[in-house]
């Protein structure tokens, strides 16, 4: 028989197709699925109820879905704080090129712990730095995700265009074309799970047009489609990137992506800040997704992505933290607020985004771009029980009548409980399956070790 958890007396924002909400409602979780939800009290006579939660003063939402991140950057936060993207990369690549398996594992622990404490139930890591002899970096990241209890996608990245080929990474930090493809395929074979309730999935993810050869882009796309997995990369992040593409390939980023097989409903791009009308139309036509990273875009002075225009055109859009070397907070729940506020500085002003659109970006939109909208991203019977209880009756939020407005416009709300597939991973802002204090100590030690190694050259 299914074991049931009953949550009652809470506001619920389902983020379903109709944006159904309940001012005071209930939810029944049976094993790893949502069994039922609605207004008022839970049905009488439920069997095998192992826990009842009185969620008075809380809003229940789908768990947040992070669609773009670089976990390893947890060890280089607070550096190159006044740089644009290209200068920031040049400043930090020599340090990043010296990471090893222990550093990568520890950095993943720090990144995942911060995400999970803040209501993220599905995370993604785009890892593309594989220095020679550095160990099993993909395995280390996946191990950290399993320990945290978070649902996870590893975007197995790669770079084969180094300084000698006109790229930005040091020569010893990149892979060969053949090596990158072989290692990516091996990672898919070993770790990708395509089942409905999968905890680990893998995407094929060459880093960016300016650190990857055209051959790696093309053959990476072919590999992904042969294996039935998704494709991810950076796109149209800065004006300089657009200039680089035009000089090197004779076309802008979107046309280049299309020429290499990188537009489609199985593809999503990070950033997409500098998109013209035809670029947005191409993404909409092909259902190519976007990971919007508002804080990182601001930190690196990249610009304001045209998210309202993308949404109006039908482009799938989710939210991303991006790496913590360009978003030191490492949190996704603050991106709900930042996405709304930053987009209101753009052409659409106060009509750019509202609170419910921002919440949708961070939940269902993220599930869409990760290809998991059937399973997660909204609270509906039959979907996986990935959900968060946000406390909104404290000083920070109690005087805001509308709970979704309180969550998005207000201060970062405390997470009373967070569930992944019906298994609780956080309670009262603390993680249940890993030791946050031990992670804090180890991340500090590994950051210092990396800095020492980098200083020695």
């Amino acid at each position: 028989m299914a074991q049931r958890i009953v949550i009652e007396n809470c506001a619920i924002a389902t983020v379903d197709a109709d944006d159904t909400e309940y001012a005071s409602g209930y939810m029944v979780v049976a094993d790893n699925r949502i069994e039922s939800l609605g207004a008022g009290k839970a049905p009488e006579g439920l069997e095998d109820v192992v826990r009842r939660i009185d969620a008075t003063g809380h809003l229940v939402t789908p768990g947040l879905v992070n669609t773009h991140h670089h976990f390893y950057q947890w060890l280089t936060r607070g550096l190159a704080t006044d740089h644009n993207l290209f200068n920031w990369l040049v400043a930090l690549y020599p340090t990043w090129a010296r990471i090893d398996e222990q550093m990568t594992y520890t950095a993943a622990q720090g990144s995942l712990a911060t995400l999970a404490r803040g209501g993220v139930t599905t995370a993604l890591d785009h890892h593309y730095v594989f220095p020679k002899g550095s160990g099993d970096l993909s395995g280390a990241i996946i191990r950290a995700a399993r320990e945290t209890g978070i649902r996870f996608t590893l975007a197995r990245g790669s770079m084969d265009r180094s300084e000698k080929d006109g790229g930005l990474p040091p020569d010893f930090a990149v892979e060969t074309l053949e090596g990158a493809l072989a290692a990516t395929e091996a990672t898919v074979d070993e770790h990708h799970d395509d089942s409905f309730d999968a905890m680990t999935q893998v995407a094929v993810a060459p880093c960016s047009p300016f650190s990857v050869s055209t051959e790696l882009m093309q053959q990476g796309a072919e590999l992904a489609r042969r294996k039935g997995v998704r494709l991810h990369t950076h796109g149209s992040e800065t004006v300089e990137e657009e200039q680089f593409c035009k000089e090197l390939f004779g076309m802008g980023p979107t046309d280049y992506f299309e020429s290499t097989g990188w537009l489609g409903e199985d593809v999503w791009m990070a950033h997409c800040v500098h998109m013209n009308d035809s670029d947005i139309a191409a993404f909409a036509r092909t259902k190519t997704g976007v990971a919007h990273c508002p804080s990182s875009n601001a930190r690196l002075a990249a610009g304001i992505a045209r998210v309202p225009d993308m949404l109006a055109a039908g482009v799938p859009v989710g939210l991303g933290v991006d790496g913590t070397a360009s978003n030191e907070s490492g949190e996704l729940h603050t991106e709900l607020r930042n996405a709304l506020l930053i987009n209101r500085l753009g052409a659409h002003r106060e009509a750019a985004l509202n609170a419910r659109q921002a919440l949708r970006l961070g939940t269902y939109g993220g599930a869409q771009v990760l290809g998991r909208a059937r399973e997660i991203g909204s609270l509906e019977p039959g979907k996986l029980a990935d959900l968060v209880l946000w406390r909104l009756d404290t000083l920070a939020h109690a005087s805001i009548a509308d709970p979704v407005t309180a969550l998005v416009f207000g201060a970062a709300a405390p997470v009373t409980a967070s569930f992944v597939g019906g298994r609780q991973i956080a309670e009262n802002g603390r993680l249940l399956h890993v030791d946050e204090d031990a992670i804090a100590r180890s991340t500090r030690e590994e950051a210092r070790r990396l800095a020492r190694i980098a200083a020695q050259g």
Side-chain angles (χ1 to χ4, degrees):
M1 296 290 290
Q3 292 194 323
R4 290 182 172 86
I5 299 171
V6 179
I7 304 167
E8 291 184 294
N9 306 318
C10 51
I12 301 174
T14 68
V15 200
D16 66 10
D18 299 318
D19 269 332
T20 305
E21 296 181 13
Y22 303 103
S24 180
Y26 73 91
M27 180 178 301
V28 179
V29 172
D31 292 336
N32 69 342
R33 307 284 181 100
I34 298 168
E35 184 174 71
S36 63
L37 71 165
K41 295 287 188 181
E44 297 290 334
L46 291 170
E47 297 182 352
D48 298 300
V49 175
V50 296
R51 185 177 179 193
R52 286 185 179 271
I53 299 173
D54 179 357
T56 301
H58 288 77
L59 171 66
V60 177
T61 72
L64 300 183
V65 179
N66 178 48
T67 64
H68 186 66
H69 209 314
H70 308 295
F71 290 173
Y72 74 89
Q73 293 181 12
W74 191 264
L75 302 185
T76 57
R77 294 191 296 165
L79 305 177
T81 55
D82 304 310
H83 295 53
N84 65 26
L85 174 66
F86 274 31
N87 292 334
W88 174 84
L89 290 170
V90 169
L92 292 177
Y93 264 137
T95 299
W96 295 340
R98 288 165 173 83
I99 60 171
D100 60 24
E101 185 175 333
Q102 183 59 40
M103 291 175 192
T104 302
Y105 170 69
T106 301
Q109 284 186 305
S111 297
L112 286 156
T114 297
L115 292 170
R117 288 176 76 247
V120 171
T121 55
T122 297
L124 171 128
D125 182 28
H126 184 194
H127 188 90
Y128 52 83
V129 182
F130 291 90
K132 295 178 179 64
S134 54
D136 181 11
L137 305 191
S138 295
I141 298 163
I142 290 168
R143 177 161 52 99
R146 286 179 177 152
E147 290 167 354
T148 308
I150 210 162
R151 204 176 299 284
F152 181 61
T153 296
L154 175 67
R156 203 292 180 184
S158 51
M159 300 185 293
D160 68 340
R161 185 192 297 276
S162 66
E163 288 174 322
K164 67 179 173 55
D165 302 311
L168 298 176
D171 295 339
F172 63 86
V174 304
E175 300 173 281
T176 64
L177 169 64
E178 297 75 13
L181 291 168
T184 301
E185 182 164 5
T187 303
V188 173
D189 290 343
E190 183 175 358
H191 296 293
H192 181 70
D193 179 1
D194 62 4
S195 61
F196 184 88
D197 58 353
M199 290 297 291
T200 305
Q201 295 196 330
V202 178
V204 174
C207 181
S208 65
F210 50 85
S211 58
V212 168
S213 68
T214 297
E215 292 75 18
L216 183 49
M217 293 294 290
Q218 292 171 330
Q219 294 180 44
E222 293 165 2
L223 167 63
R225 290 179 176 125
R226 176 164 53 83
K227 289 292 181 179
V229 299
R230 296 181 75 76
L231 300 86
H232 181 53
T233 191
H234 296 88
S236 301
E237 186 173 358
T238 65
V239 173
E240 291 83 4
E241 179 188 334
E242 185 171 11
Q243 293 169 343
F244 179 92
C245 285
K246 286 180 177 176
E247 289 173 8
L248 200 63
F249 311 123
M251 63 186 92
T254 299
D255 290 337
Y256 176 67
F257 288 134
E258 187 150 35
S259 75
T260 55
W262 273 79
L263 294 185
E265 60 184 28
D266 55 354
V267 181
W268 83 106
M269 308 278 180
H271 304 294
C272 298
V273 175
H274 296 278
M275 302 266 282
N276 59 32
D277 290 347
S278 65
D279 295 329
I280 292 174
F283 272 53
R285 170 174 50 80
T286 58
K287 297 300 180 187
T288 303
V290 171
H292 176 45
C293 306
S295 294
S296 177
N297 293 344
R299 158 76 150 81
L300 296 173
I304 302 172
R306 296 173 58 188
V307 171
D309 296 326
M310 294 178 195
L311 295 175
V315 176
V317 182
L319 290 182
V321 169
D322 202 10
T324 45
S326 64
N327 181 1
E328 274 75 3
S329 77
E331 297 174 328
L332 193 70
H333 57 313
T334 52
E335 298 301 281
L336 300 175
R337 185 172 191 263
N338 290 343
L340 184 147
L341 296 180
I342 289 175
N343 279 282
R344 288 189 177 187
L345 295 174
H348 295 274
R349 301 180 64 184
E350 69 276 10
L353 290 176
N354 61 38
R356 282 158 178 82
Q357 287 173 307
L359 178 59
R360 180 169 289 274
L361 289 177
T363 54
Y364 188 81
Q368 274 187 297
V369 304
L370 293 186
R372 304 203 67 175
R374 290 188 312 111
E375 304 131 83
I376 60 173
S378 60
L379 302 177
E380 302 179 68
K383 282 198 162 186
L384 295 169
D386 291 12
L387 55 104
V388 180
L389 280 67
W390 308 93
R391 188 171 179 184
L392 298 177
D393 62 355
T394 67
L395 176 64
H397 303 92
S399 61
I400 304 176
D402 175 58
V404 177
T405 296
L407 178 67
V408 175
F409 278 84
V415 172
T416 294
S418 182
F419 294 85
V420 178
R423 177 180 186 242
Q424 191 170 351
I425 64 167
E427 182 167 16
N428 295 324
R430 297 288 292 185
L431 298 178
L432 296 178
H433 307 298
V434 292
D435 184 336
E436 296 176 37
D437 297 327
I439 292 172
R441 289 192 295 272
S442 60
T443 55
R444 182 172 60 248
E445 291 165 2
E446 290 301 311
R448 289 173 174 171
R449 183 166 74 90
L450 177 58
R452 285 196 302 273
I453 293 171
Q456 294 165 2

